[in-house]
Amino acid sequence: SILIIGACGQIGTELTLALRNTYGNESVIASDIREGNENLMNSGPFEILDATDYDALEEVIAYYSINEVYLMAAMLSATAEKFPMRAWNLNMNSLFNVLNLAKEKKIDKIFWPSSIAVFGPNTPKEDTSQSTIMEPSTVYGISKQSGERWCDYYFHKYGVDVRSIRYPGLISWKTMPGGGTTDYAVEIYHKALSEGTYTCFLKEDTELPMMFMEDAIKATLQLMDAEPENVKVRCSYNLSAMSFTPAQMANCIQKHIPDFKISYEPDFRQAIADSWPGSIDDQEARRDWGWKAEFDLEKTTKEMLENLAS
Ligand code: VAH
């Protein structure tokens, strides 16, 4: 059976529901440091679990005969800048726990999320390639870059089948993001509907790679279902769907809500966003396991506004 660690987070919640739809509720165990939303809590087994507690994790793995783990627990970029050592502890020790359980053959397969945050200020910013200069300047980015190196090491040294995706900013209507720099791209839709205005914490011309959650979940399941020999990248796959600026997003929303107004008050998250690429080249994911995005900004905006308004 499958264990999702961090099942109550922005990705974890939707991943849990998608996995339960695919494999059946009882085969997918959700776990997190706190309880999740009603939909998640009522759809299958749940365990309170601290991802940094090796013994507790080993117990859950044994109790439910877990053979696959999705490790979605992490502290994201903005919050990690406020609590560097707590972020490092959570992001790294949770990963070591899962990698070591797999090394001991107690888990067969792992999914672990990386991020475009692994790229830094001197990474080429347009169509950023899979292997390029990578000097992340955020705690979160350093933890994701280190995590990628460890995943690659455990695969080559111990044969651990760990698979990973460098997610762009993710946009969903079912869950709220928590402590990220791309969170404006979710908040803007809620505010457009509730107040007709939004004050954006990034500058209007800040271009960032983004993806609708449905595409991100589809990619995750596609990568996990791929034949092992086709998974040629074992640090983490670049993945791309769309790139846009807050101004472009506001224009797209105004096609649906003509009176919507946006203003800009950049905060500390501007420096984080400025260190990341504007667009990503994901040719390896397309080559190795047939990746293809469905949602562009227009389709995403339509989906978000329709579902949030209903
Ligand atoms: C963050 N949403 O903002 C996450 C993600 C690429 C961004 O890593 O930190």
Side-chain angles (χ1 to χ4, degrees), residues 10 76-78 115-117 140 167-170 179-183 276:
Q10 182 194 21
L76 295 187
S77 60
S115 161
I116 58 159
Y140 175 71
Y167 289 123
L170 298 182
T181 298
T182 57
D183 297 3
W276 292 346

Short mmCIF file of all heavy atoms in Angstrom, two decimals, residues 10 76-78 115-117 140 167-170 179-183 276, ligand 1:
data_model
loop_
_atom_site.label_atom_id
_atom_site.label_comp_id
_atom_site.label_asym_id
_atom_site.label_seq_id
_atom_site.Cartn_x
_atom_site.Cartn_y
_atom_site.Cartn_z
N GLN A 10 -0.54 21.52 0.25
CA GLN A 10 -1.14 21.96 -1.02
C GLN A 10 -1.13 20.85 -2.07
O GLN A 10 -2.14 20.58 -2.72
CB GLN A 10 -0.34 23.16 -1.58
CG GLN A 10 -0.94 23.71 -2.87
CD GLN A 10 -0.01 24.66 -3.63
OE1 GLN A 10 1.21 24.64 -3.43
NE2 GLN A 10 -0.59 25.46 -4.50
N LEU A 76 8.37 25.52 2.94
CA LEU A 76 8.57 26.14 1.63
C LEU A 76 9.44 27.40 1.74
O LEU A 76 9.82 27.83 2.82
CB LEU A 76 7.22 26.46 0.98
CG LEU A 76 6.36 25.23 0.63
CD1 LEU A 76 5.13 25.64 -0.15
CD2 LEU A 76 7.14 24.19 -0.13
N SER A 77 9.68 28.03 0.58
CA SER A 77 10.72 29.05 0.44
C SER A 77 10.58 30.24 1.38
O SER A 77 11.55 30.63 2.04
CB SER A 77 10.75 29.55 -1.01
OG SER A 77 9.49 30.12 -1.34
N ALA A 78 9.39 30.83 1.48
CA ALA A 78 9.26 32.06 2.29
C ALA A 78 9.42 31.74 3.77
O ALA A 78 10.20 32.38 4.48
CB ALA A 78 7.92 32.72 2.00
N SER A 115 12.10 21.33 -6.75
CA SER A 115 11.47 22.61 -7.09
C SER A 115 12.38 23.43 -7.99
O SER A 115 13.60 23.23 -7.99
CB SER A 115 11.22 23.40 -5.79
OG SER A 115 11.03 24.76 -6.05
N ILE A 116 11.80 24.38 -8.71
CA ILE A 116 12.62 25.29 -9.53
C ILE A 116 13.50 26.13 -8.60
O ILE A 116 14.39 26.84 -9.05
CB ILE A 116 11.74 26.23 -10.39
CG1 ILE A 116 10.80 27.04 -9.50
CG2 ILE A 116 11.01 25.44 -11.45
CD1 ILE A 116 10.29 28.29 -10.15
N ALA A 117 13.22 26.03 -7.28
CA ALA A 117 14.03 26.76 -6.29
C ALA A 117 15.46 26.23 -6.23
O ALA A 117 16.33 26.87 -5.61
CB ALA A 117 13.39 26.65 -4.91
N TYR A 140 15.41 26.97 1.36
CA TYR A 140 14.56 25.96 0.72
C TYR A 140 15.25 25.39 -0.53
O TYR A 140 15.34 24.18 -0.71
CB TYR A 140 13.24 26.62 0.33
CG TYR A 140 12.27 25.78 -0.45
CD1 TYR A 140 11.59 24.72 0.15
CD2 TYR A 140 12.01 26.06 -1.79
CE1 TYR A 140 10.67 23.97 -0.58
CE2 TYR A 140 11.09 25.32 -2.50
CZ TYR A 140 10.43 24.28 -1.91
OH TYR A 140 9.52 23.53 -2.63
N TYR A 167 8.99 20.83 -9.26
CA TYR A 167 7.72 21.52 -9.51
C TYR A 167 7.95 23.03 -9.68
O TYR A 167 8.75 23.64 -8.97
CB TYR A 167 6.77 21.34 -8.33
CG TYR A 167 6.19 19.96 -8.15
CD1 TYR A 167 6.36 19.29 -6.94
CD2 TYR A 167 5.44 19.34 -9.14
CE1 TYR A 167 5.81 18.03 -6.74
CE2 TYR A 167 4.89 18.07 -8.95
CZ TYR A 167 5.08 17.43 -7.75
OH TYR A 167 4.55 16.18 -7.54
N PRO A 168 7.21 23.64 -10.62
CA PRO A 168 7.12 25.11 -10.68
C PRO A 168 6.14 25.56 -9.60
O PRO A 168 5.72 24.76 -8.76
CB PRO A 168 6.58 25.37 -12.08
CG PRO A 168 6.03 24.08 -12.57
CD PRO A 168 6.45 22.98 -11.68
N GLY A 169 5.73 26.82 -9.63
CA GLY A 169 4.69 27.28 -8.71
C GLY A 169 3.40 26.55 -9.07
O GLY A 169 3.10 26.38 -10.25
N LEU A 170 2.64 26.10 -8.07
CA LEU A 170 1.45 25.31 -8.36
C LEU A 170 0.18 26.07 -7.98
O LEU A 170 0.12 26.73 -6.94
CB LEU A 170 1.50 23.97 -7.62
CG LEU A 170 2.68 23.06 -8.04
CD1 LEU A 170 2.63 21.75 -7.29
CD2 LEU A 170 2.69 22.82 -9.54
N GLY A 179 3.15 29.21 2.65
CA GLY A 179 4.51 29.74 2.90
C GLY A 179 5.41 29.76 1.69
O GLY A 179 6.64 29.77 1.82
N GLY A 180 4.82 29.77 0.49
CA GLY A 180 5.63 29.80 -0.73
C GLY A 180 5.76 31.21 -1.28
O GLY A 180 5.09 32.14 -0.82
N THR A 181 6.60 31.36 -2.28
CA THR A 181 6.78 32.65 -2.96
C THR A 181 5.82 32.77 -4.14
O THR A 181 5.49 33.86 -4.58
CB THR A 181 8.25 32.76 -3.42
OG1 THR A 181 9.08 32.73 -2.26
CG2 THR A 181 8.51 34.03 -4.21
N THR A 182 5.33 31.62 -4.62
CA THR A 182 4.41 31.65 -5.77
C THR A 182 2.96 31.71 -5.31
O THR A 182 2.04 31.64 -6.14
CB THR A 182 4.60 30.39 -6.64
OG1 THR A 182 4.38 29.23 -5.81
CG2 THR A 182 5.99 30.35 -7.25
N ASP A 183 2.73 31.83 -4.01
CA ASP A 183 1.36 31.76 -3.47
C ASP A 183 0.48 32.89 -4.01
O ASP A 183 -0.74 32.75 -4.01
CB ASP A 183 1.38 31.83 -1.93
CG ASP A 183 2.12 30.64 -1.32
OD1 ASP A 183 2.65 29.82 -2.08
OD2 ASP A 183 2.17 30.55 -0.08
N TRP A 276 15.07 32.97 -9.11
CA TRP A 276 14.57 31.79 -9.83
C TRP A 276 14.45 32.05 -11.31
O TRP A 276 14.35 33.21 -11.75
CB TRP A 276 13.20 31.39 -9.26
CG TRP A 276 13.24 30.86 -7.86
CD1 TRP A 276 14.35 30.46 -7.15
CD2 TRP A 276 12.13 30.68 -6.98
NE1 TRP A 276 13.98 30.07 -5.89
CE2 TRP A 276 12.64 30.17 -5.76
CE3 TRP A 276 10.76 30.88 -7.09
CZ2 TRP A 276 11.82 29.88 -4.68
CZ3 TRP A 276 9.93 30.58 -6.02
CH2 TRP A 276 10.46 30.09 -4.83
C1 VAH B 1 7.44 28.01 -3.10
N1 VAH B 1 5.48 26.97 -4.11
O1 VAH B 1 6.99 29.07 -3.48
C2 VAH B 1 6.85 26.72 -3.70
C3 VAH B 1 7.64 26.28 -4.89
C4 VAH B 1 8.67 27.00 -7.04
C5 VAH B 1 7.90 27.43 -5.87
O2 VAH B 1 8.81 25.68 -4.52
O3 VAH B 1 8.32 27.95 -2.30
#
